[in-house]
């Protein structure tokens, strides 16, 4: 295997997948970047902007803009944290419904796209992606 082809092959996978996901998210006025935020908020229930930015490895101003858009859509809301200055973010009831609808749709698409790949292969692929991400983030 030529290592030099990895990035090219990754981009060949990433771009069409991103386009398909954005089309699926369009009816909810979302893009994949905003979906990633909803996904993370759902997973951890209520979190801060800083936690989202660190997890997604995105600049805080970018997260702030995305969060404002999600608030405008009434998908998320800010709540007070442990102190008055700390603001945490959680899904609204509408946001939870939207998340569930999207998740069902994307889970179905994922099953289709990953057909023919065993659970063992999937676990290994995810493990490899995590290793690559960690190597990139450590730089």
């Amino acid at each position: 295997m030529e290592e030099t082809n990895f990035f090219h092959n990754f981009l060949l996978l990433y771009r069409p997948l991103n386009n398909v996901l954005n089309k699926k998210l369009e009816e909810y006025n979302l893009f994949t970047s905003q979906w990633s935020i909803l996904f993370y908020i759902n997973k951890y229930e209520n979190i801060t902007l800083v936690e989202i930015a660190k997890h997604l490895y995105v600049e805080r101003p970018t997260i702030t803009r995305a969060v404002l858009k999600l608030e405008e859509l009434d998908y998320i809301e800010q709540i007070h944290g442990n102190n008055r200055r700390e603001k945490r973010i959680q899904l609204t009831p509408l946001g939870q419904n939207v998340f569930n609808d999207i998740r069902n749709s994307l889970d179905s698409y994922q099953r289709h796209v990953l057909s023919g790949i065993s659970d063992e292969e999937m676990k290994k692929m995810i493990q490899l992606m995590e290793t690559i991400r960690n190597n990139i983030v450590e730089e």
Side-chain angles (χ1 to χ4, degrees), residues 118-128:
S118 70
D119 288 345
E120 185 177 308
E121 290 170 318
M122 176 57 65
K123 287 176 186 174
K124 184 64 175 174
M125 191 172 9
I126 290 170
Q127 191 177 44
L128 291 169

Side-chain angles (χ1 to χ4, degrees), residues 35-56 76-77 79 88-91 96 99 103 130 133:
W35 167 248
S36 293
I37 293 170
L38 286 179
F39 188 91
Y40 190 66
I41 292 170
N42 182 74
K43 183 175 181 176
Y44 294 100
E45 295 186 15
N46 72 65
I47 56 175
T48 66
L49 289 175
V50 172
E51 291 168 332
I52 296 170
K54 283 182 182 177
H55 176 73
L56 296 177
I76 63 171
E77 62 188 353
I79 56 173
R88 302 193 72 76
I89 301 164
Q90 66 183 17
L91 295 177
Q96 189 64 59
F99 175 86
R103 184 68 196 260
E130 288 173 353
R133 182 182 193 279

Side-chain angles (χ1 to χ4, degrees), residues 8-66:
H8 177 70
N9 283 301
F10 176 79
L11 291 174
L12 288 175
L13 171 69
Y14 174 78
R15 287 186 180 129
L17 176 62
N18 200 47
N19 289 340
V20 168
L21 294 180
N22 279 329
K23 284 221 182 289
K24 289 183 175 295
L25 295 169
E26 194 172 43
E27 74 177 275
Y28 300 97
N29 296 310
L30 295 174
F31 293 102
T32 54
S33 56
Q34 295 158 328
W35 167 248
S36 293
I37 293 170
L38 286 179
F39 188 91
Y40 190 66
I41 292 170
N42 182 74
K43 183 175 181 176
Y44 294 100
E45 295 186 15
N46 72 65
I47 56 175
T48 66
L49 289 175
V50 172
E51 291 168 332
I52 296 170
K54 283 182 182 177
H55 176 73
L56 296 177
Y57 208 71
V58 177
E59 300 290 325
R60 190 165 177 234
T62 303
I63 294 296
T64 300
R65 284 190 298 276

